[in-house]
Amino acid sequence: MKFLDKKLVMILSALFLSIIFISHTVIYFVQNQILSLTNEIYIEDIIYEYESDLNVISSIMKTVAKNPFVLQLMNDVNNDKIEDGIIDLSSYSYSYDFLDVQNILLEMGFSIDIVLYSEKGVLTIKNGQLTMEKSDDEYLDWINEMYLSKNNWETPVYLDKETGKLMLTTFTPIYDFKDNSFLGVVATNEFMEDVLKAFQNHFSIGELELEMQYLGNKITTENIAILEDKTNFSHNYQNPIYGANVKFVINNDSIMNNSNVKIDQFYLIIIISVSCFTFSVLIFIAIRVILKPVIKSLQNLQEIIEKLDDGLDYKLGVSYINDLTRIIDLTITSRIQKLLYFDKITNILNRQYLNVYLKKIIKSNKSFSLILLDVRNFKAINDGNTEGVGNEILKKIVKQLNFITKGLKNEIFRFGDDEFLIILENLHTEKEVSEFYENKIWKFFKSNPISLNDKVIKITFNAAAIIYPLHAIDREDIIKKLNTMLTKAKYLSNNKLIIFKKDIYRDVRREIIIRNILKIAIDNNEFYLTYQPIVDKEKNIRKAEALIRWNSSTLGAIFPDQFIYITEQTGLITSLGYWIIERVAKDLNDFESINQNIQISINVSPIQIMRPDFADKVEEILTKYNVDCKKICLEITESVFLETEKLGMDDIISNNLNKIRKIGIKLALDDFGTGYSSFNYLTDYNFDILKLDRLFINKDQDNHYAMIRNMKNISDILNMEMIIEGIETEKQFDAVKKYGLIQGYYISRPILWKDFKNMLMNIKENLVIN
């Protein structure tokens, strides 16, 4: 890149030769700018004052419209109780307040009339008296539905029929307090020629003339010559409410002769000439000193520009820096910004910019809401179509979201692969957010499915929402809580919007923590076993059920119903299940030391038994610790068979159960009676033990005991031992002890191994396992 070129030399030469010319031009420009600025300020002040007056009048009209006297008077007029002429006000209360309004307006400088309009007539204050004039018209032409829909308004400027002058009316509708029926309007009428004179009187620094035009009607002030002089300052003002165009024309000479704004031209010529010369010298120095390293740096960008400029043609040289910076902006700056902040598929803002946006909006101390939408079953939708259709679906979803939020102060972000975040600045309550999702998003997508490649695709969402600062305190808190609520929405999967709730957040966060620390807990041996004794009718211990417990170093005691299903979802149940079997095998070695023949039941998950190598792995563990397989009973729920039937894995479970039975391990059908209980399972898989769920005991009714008796008959026919769970009272124990073995809190709660061992050592008689 050249430091000097021909174009640069020509520019600098022209700059020096133009200093004197520029000085005079600047003076002229400054003069006109001062005049224009001064005139605009004064005109804006005039207009502002007039509009403030109209607001005052509107406020007064509101008060009048609610006056009890006015309401009674308008009712009487509409009911034909008042005739033309002067109205006798002696029978009306509060009439003095109404008549005094005219004097108040006069004292405030408003020379206007107050008039009451109704269907039956027009009432006017004249000389402190109220007069009535019947009208054949139901309403004046300008009282129409559009204006009466407002609480108070102004009519457009219109031509008064009686005087032929342009007039502006400010009015307020009058409604009966009893039934909210429309009675008429209270209005003030003002001639626009008076308004123009007020404008003119208010302008104190020069000569002001005005011209108003409305539908071919024109009003002008006195000095027509000033209006027609094109060199004077002219400003047009049109208010969409009033409808008329007002032209302000100011005599510039009168402003320049005003001592407050008069400018010393000679002094300005000297100052500006010196300034221009000094500025020119500084520009040349800047080019030589400052821009030299900049130009050198730009040379390093040349190769990048050539790759990104898409064939743009440019020249290299100091005088072409403007062209070069434009090219850089078109290529590097804009493309980097697009890569950083915009999603390349949907062309909406991405999660990277979300951090910037949240920081900005939180700093502004505004309240806003956030709705996070996760497209349900998007993977299935995408897999069910041809490649690339998923992107087209996302684009159509964005198009519909833009349509739904059109006109709202909002931003839409691509939050994840199939997630969109909507930030709405005008929704501040849970009710507003819920109604927006229900009535706008959910109903719209329900009634407007996406059509793509002749397929109709119905889009539904898992949706979560929070409100700042009601639910979250900062950017990180917002994202964390949104994700947590979305986790709950995905779990419920019911198309409902889940708005932040502390209890939901606490439970979900606890579950997330459990998921994150489960694997570590297994490695750190944070799990331990408890044993619940199973006794016969003499309360002799015959068996025990091994139950896993977790004492987390992070969360403390965690109950099985809070983590077992998570281990099944994550697949950790397999390693945890083998750990339980190994722990039981170690404890059974201790049973040998006290010469006790006790059978231990172990619960087995469907996930475990559906593994082809399950039976082999169990046998390997028991062999390792030299444990008699007859001392082990595996408890299986009916859900195992339901799951294998769905997945077509019947052969695998059959092979595992046959191997388990072959090596001597007993099989128990657990929780019988809670699910889709089928006697087929009892016969097809030859269970050794039938465990009745506590459901048969909880209600403590005779018919339930009769059912237990019948189940005992069935178990005897099938040569199965029966265990009854959930026994908590002596009465329950006495009622069912003759039908089978007993398990429940009445006998003992699940206890630690050392306590169970001590309990066994106190038994004098050895029992033989059936």
XYZ file of all heavy atoms in Angstrom, residues 14-65:
425
model
N -6.006 21.050 -3.048
C -7.337 21.647 -3.101
C -7.794 22.091 -1.721
O -8.475 23.122 -1.571
C -8.335 20.640 -3.685
N -7.393 21.353 -0.692
C -7.801 21.700 0.668
C -7.207 23.041 1.091
O -7.908 23.902 1.637
C -7.345 20.584 1.616
C -7.700 20.761 3.099
C -9.210 20.794 3.299
C -7.087 19.641 3.926
N -5.907 23.242 0.806
C -5.275 24.501 1.192
C -5.851 25.687 0.417
O -6.035 26.774 0.960
C -3.756 24.415 0.971
C -3.045 23.637 2.032
C -2.505 22.390 1.735
C -2.914 24.137 3.317
C -1.837 21.668 2.701
C -2.249 23.407 4.291
C -1.707 22.163 3.991
N -6.095 25.496 -0.857
C -6.619 26.601 -1.672
C -8.047 26.976 -1.291
O -8.518 28.066 -1.608
C -6.584 26.212 -3.159
C -5.192 26.025 -3.783
C -5.306 25.515 -5.230
C -4.419 27.361 -3.765
N -8.729 26.097 -0.613
C -10.144 26.325 -0.303
C -10.371 26.911 1.079
O -11.520 27.113 1.494
C -10.917 24.994 -0.401
O -10.777 24.428 -1.678
N -9.299 27.209 1.826
C -9.473 27.636 3.222
C -10.306 28.913 3.315
O -11.257 29.010 4.104
C -8.093 27.844 3.888
C -7.419 26.494 4.115
C -8.245 28.583 5.212
C -6.028 26.619 4.713
N -9.958 29.939 2.480
C -10.678 31.211 2.577
C -12.144 31.026 2.174
O -13.062 31.555 2.829
C -10.012 32.287 1.681
C -8.548 32.498 2.107
C -10.789 33.593 1.789
C -8.381 32.947 3.535
N -12.322 30.310 1.075
C -13.705 30.076 0.630
C -14.521 29.349 1.711
O -15.685 29.672 1.972
C -13.693 29.272 -0.665
C -15.053 28.864 -1.138
C -15.898 29.779 -1.762
C -15.501 27.557 -0.945
C -17.151 29.399 -2.172
C -16.748 27.168 -1.365
C -17.585 28.094 -1.987
N -13.900 28.381 2.338
C -14.595 27.605 3.373
C -14.964 28.503 4.547
O -16.033 28.360 5.145
C -13.708 26.427 3.843
C -13.593 25.390 2.731
C -14.262 25.777 5.113
C -12.633 24.251 3.052
N -14.065 29.456 4.878
C -14.327 30.345 6.008
C -15.638 31.101 5.811
O -16.487 31.165 6.705
C -13.174 31.338 6.182
O -11.972 30.656 6.455
N -15.790 31.701 4.625
C -17.019 32.444 4.370
C -18.232 31.520 4.309
O -19.332 31.865 4.772
C -16.866 33.228 3.046
C -15.932 34.384 3.151
N -14.562 34.251 2.993
C -16.166 35.709 3.406
C -13.980 35.429 3.139
N -14.928 36.344 3.389
N -18.024 30.362 3.714
C -19.142 29.409 3.611
C -19.603 28.945 5.001
O -20.798 28.820 5.273
C -18.721 28.187 2.775
O -18.274 28.622 1.494
C -19.871 27.204 2.628
N -18.629 28.712 5.865
C -18.958 28.255 7.218
C -19.742 29.326 7.967
O -20.699 29.018 8.690
C -17.671 27.874 7.984
C -17.953 27.693 9.467
C -17.091 26.595 7.413
N -19.332 30.578 7.784
C -20.049 31.667 8.472
C -21.512 31.685 8.029
O -22.432 31.791 8.855
C -19.373 33.022 8.176
C -17.999 33.073 8.836
C -20.242 34.172 8.666
C -17.205 34.308 8.477
N -21.705 31.614 6.721
C -23.068 31.619 6.214
C -23.850 30.405 6.746
O -25.013 30.513 7.150
C -23.037 31.608 4.682
C -24.406 31.543 4.046
C -25.193 32.682 3.938
C -24.896 30.322 3.572
C -26.445 32.617 3.364
C -26.154 30.245 2.996
C -26.931 31.400 2.885
O -28.182 31.322 2.331
N -23.167 29.283 6.757
C -23.825 28.054 7.240
C -24.188 28.179 8.721
O -25.282 27.803 9.151
C -22.892 26.863 7.015
C -23.404 25.579 7.582
C -24.406 24.866 6.941
C -22.891 25.093 8.773
C -24.876 23.685 7.473
C -23.355 23.909 9.308
C -24.347 23.200 8.662
N -23.230 28.714 9.518
C -23.471 28.853 10.956
C -24.639 29.791 11.210
O -25.490 29.538 12.077
C -22.197 29.356 11.669
C -22.497 29.757 13.113
C -21.128 28.278 11.646
N -24.664 30.889 10.455
C -25.771 31.830 10.623
C -27.120 31.139 10.382
O -28.058 31.286 11.167
C -25.603 33.003 9.659
C -24.526 33.999 10.057
C -24.417 35.132 9.053
O -24.769 34.959 7.880
N -23.906 36.262 9.488
N -27.188 30.427 9.285
C -28.453 29.750 8.972
C -28.790 28.663 9.994
O -29.960 28.446 10.333
C -28.375 29.144 7.569
C -28.591 30.183 6.492
O -29.711 30.558 6.174
N -27.498 30.677 5.934
N -27.758 27.966 10.469
C -28.012 26.943 11.478
C -28.529 27.552 12.767
O -29.439 27.013 13.406
C -26.735 26.139 11.755
C -26.325 25.223 10.627
C -27.370 24.169 10.347
O -27.830 23.484 11.237
N -27.770 24.055 9.092
N -27.933 28.669 13.155
C -28.382 29.340 14.378
C -29.832 29.794 14.223
O -30.664 29.621 15.118
C -27.470 30.541 14.707
C -26.091 30.031 15.122
C -28.073 31.395 15.816
C -25.075 31.131 15.334
N -30.096 30.402 13.040
C -31.468 30.857 12.793
C -32.450 29.684 12.834
O -33.498 29.743 13.471
C -31.541 31.574 11.441
C -30.954 32.979 11.383
C -30.974 33.494 9.942
C -31.732 33.919 12.287
N -32.097 28.616 12.120
C -33.002 27.463 12.049
C -33.221 26.852 13.426
O -34.356 26.534 13.809
C -32.425 26.401 11.099
O -32.324 26.905 9.800
N -32.129 26.698 14.169
C -32.246 26.100 15.499
C -33.084 26.978 16.421
O -33.964 26.483 17.145
C -30.844 25.887 16.084
C -30.786 25.267 17.482
C -31.415 23.886 17.462
C -29.349 25.196 17.982
N -32.817 28.289 16.369
C -33.572 29.213 17.220
C -35.052 29.188 16.874
O -35.926 29.114 17.750
C -33.027 30.638 17.066
O -31.634 30.645 17.371
C -33.759 31.601 17.988
N -35.325 29.262 15.567
C -36.729 29.271 15.137
C -37.442 27.972 15.521
O -38.591 27.979 15.985
C -36.802 29.480 13.624
C -36.333 30.859 13.204
O -36.333 31.791 14.015
N -35.891 30.998 11.961
N -36.776 26.844 15.302
C -37.401 25.555 15.624
C -37.682 25.432 17.120
O -38.724 24.915 17.529
C -36.507 24.409 15.165
C -36.495 24.217 13.656
C -35.601 23.068 13.232
O -35.012 22.433 14.131
O -35.491 22.826 12.018
N -36.746 25.909 17.933
C -36.949 25.847 19.390
C -38.180 26.654 19.790
O -39.021 26.183 20.572
C -35.697 26.355 20.132
C -34.550 25.360 19.955
C -35.991 26.564 21.610
C -33.230 25.843 20.517
N -38.287 27.862 19.236
C -39.423 28.710 19.607
C -40.737 28.126 19.104
O -41.760 28.164 19.780
C -39.209 30.129 19.074
C -38.485 31.023 20.056
C -37.106 31.025 20.131
C -39.189 31.851 20.928
C -36.427 31.820 21.035
C -38.519 32.665 21.839
C -37.142 32.644 21.896
O -36.501 33.433 22.803
N -40.699 27.591 17.874
C -41.931 27.002 17.327
C -42.351 25.782 18.152
O -43.530 25.606 18.481
C -41.726 26.627 15.850
C -41.631 27.889 15.001
C -42.883 25.753 15.346
C -41.264 27.625 13.557
N -41.387 24.952 18.496
C -41.711 23.780 19.322
C -42.262 24.204 20.672
O -43.162 23.556 21.221
C -40.461 22.912 19.506
C -40.071 22.150 18.248
C -38.775 21.360 18.433
O -38.253 21.375 19.571
O -38.313 20.745 17.456
N -41.713 25.305 21.220
C -42.207 25.801 22.499
C -43.655 26.280 22.373
O -44.488 26.034 23.259
C -41.301 26.933 22.991
C -41.741 27.466 24.347
O -41.763 26.679 25.311
O -42.086 28.666 24.430
N -43.962 26.973 21.253
C -45.335 27.447 21.028
C -46.304 26.264 20.937
O -47.364 26.239 21.573
C -45.391 28.294 19.738
C -44.642 29.615 19.924
C -46.843 28.551 19.324
C -44.478 30.399 18.639
N -45.898 25.281 20.129
C -46.766 24.106 19.928
C -46.940 23.337 21.238
O -48.038 22.908 21.599
C -46.187 23.189 18.841
C -46.224 23.914 17.492
C -46.972 21.880 18.739
C -45.460 23.188 16.403
N -45.827 23.186 21.989
C -45.895 22.443 23.246
C -46.838 23.137 24.228
O -47.629 22.484 24.916
C -44.493 22.319 23.838
C -44.475 21.707 25.213
C -44.610 20.319 25.371
C -44.341 22.494 26.351
C -44.607 19.748 26.619
C -44.346 21.925 27.613
C -44.474 20.553 27.747
O -44.476 19.993 28.996
N -46.721 24.481 24.299
C -47.582 25.213 25.226
C -49.053 25.060 24.852
O -49.933 24.871 25.704
C -47.193 26.698 25.240
C -46.729 27.137 26.600
C -46.525 28.641 26.680
O -47.472 29.414 26.436
O -45.406 29.009 27.016
N -49.315 25.087 23.523
C -50.706 24.970 23.087
C -51.249 23.573 23.399
O -52.381 23.417 23.875
C -50.802 25.259 21.592
C -52.208 25.123 21.046
C -53.226 25.970 21.479
C -52.516 24.125 20.138
C -54.518 25.837 20.992
C -53.800 23.974 19.651
C -54.809 24.841 20.080
O -56.085 24.693 19.621
N -50.450 22.552 23.135
C -50.901 21.189 23.431
C -51.072 20.979 24.924
O -51.961 20.239 25.358
C -49.918 20.177 22.855
C -49.958 20.143 21.331
C -48.983 19.118 20.756
O -48.080 18.692 21.502
O -49.139 18.778 19.567
N -50.227 21.653 25.736
C -50.397 21.579 27.191
C -51.727 22.214 27.605
O -52.426 21.706 28.483
C -49.235 22.268 27.900
O -48.025 21.641 27.601
N -52.064 23.334 26.922
C -53.363 23.974 27.206
C -54.512 23.026 26.881
O -55.498 22.932 27.622
C -53.499 25.266 26.384
C -52.547 26.349 26.867
O -52.008 26.197 27.977
O -52.332 27.331 26.135
N -54.378 22.319 25.742
C -55.442 21.378 25.369
C -55.570 20.254 26.401
O -56.669 19.789 26.696
C -55.161 20.787 23.983
C -55.345 21.734 22.800
C -54.998 21.017 21.503
C -56.775 22.263 22.733
N -54.426 19.829 26.952
C -54.471 18.794 27.984
C -55.179 19.287 29.242
O -55.927 18.553 29.888
C -53.061 18.323 28.339
C -52.428 17.520 27.229
O -53.127 16.889 26.448
N -51.109 17.542 27.140
N -54.913 20.556 29.574
C -55.604 21.138 30.736
C -57.100 21.179 30.483
O -57.913 20.812 31.340
C -55.055 22.548 31.019
C -55.901 23.244 32.073
C -53.605 22.474 31.461
N -57.475 21.618 29.266
C -58.905 21.679 28.936
C -59.519 20.285 28.969
O -60.630 20.081 29.473
C -59.089 22.331 27.545
C -58.626 23.792 27.580
C -60.537 22.249 27.093
C -58.575 24.443 26.218
N -58.799 19.292 28.440
C -59.303 17.916 28.460
C -59.534 17.439 29.886
O -60.530 16.775 30.178
C -58.325 16.982 27.753
O -58.230 17.289 26.400
N -58.602 17.798 30.785
C -58.754 17.389 32.188
C -59.988 18.043 32.810
O -60.734 17.407 33.570
C -57.507 17.770 32.979
O -56.374 17.110 32.477
N -60.189 19.309 32.470
C -61.374 19.996 32.998
C -62.643 19.359 32.450
O -63.635 19.159 33.153
C -61.305 21.496 32.658
C -60.129 22.150 33.401
C -62.620 22.200 33.007
C -59.884 23.594 33.024
N -62.620 18.991 31.161
C -63.798 18.373 30.556
C -64.109 17.018 31.215
O -65.267 16.646 31.368
C -63.575 18.182 29.066
C -63.487 19.467 28.256
S -64.954 20.534 28.404
C -64.394 21.705 29.667
N -63.080 16.287 31.584
C -63.302 15.008 32.286
C -64.055 15.244 33.591
O -64.978 14.502 33.951
C -61.966 14.322 32.572
C -61.283 13.715 31.383
C -60.007 13.029 31.845
C -59.236 12.447 30.673
N -57.990 11.803 31.098
N -63.626 16.315 34.318
C -64.269 16.613 35.595
C -65.726 17.014 35.377
O -66.631 16.582 36.096
C -63.509 17.739 36.304
O -62.139 17.350 36.462
C -64.107 18.026 37.666
N -65.942 17.821 34.350
C -67.309 18.256 34.051
C -68.189 17.069 33.682
O -69.353 16.970 34.083
C -67.288 19.305 32.916
C -68.706 19.629 32.445
C -66.585 20.568 33.380
N -67.619 16.133 32.899
C -68.397 14.977 32.441
C -68.873 14.104 33.594
O -69.829 13.342 33.454
C -67.578 14.149 31.466
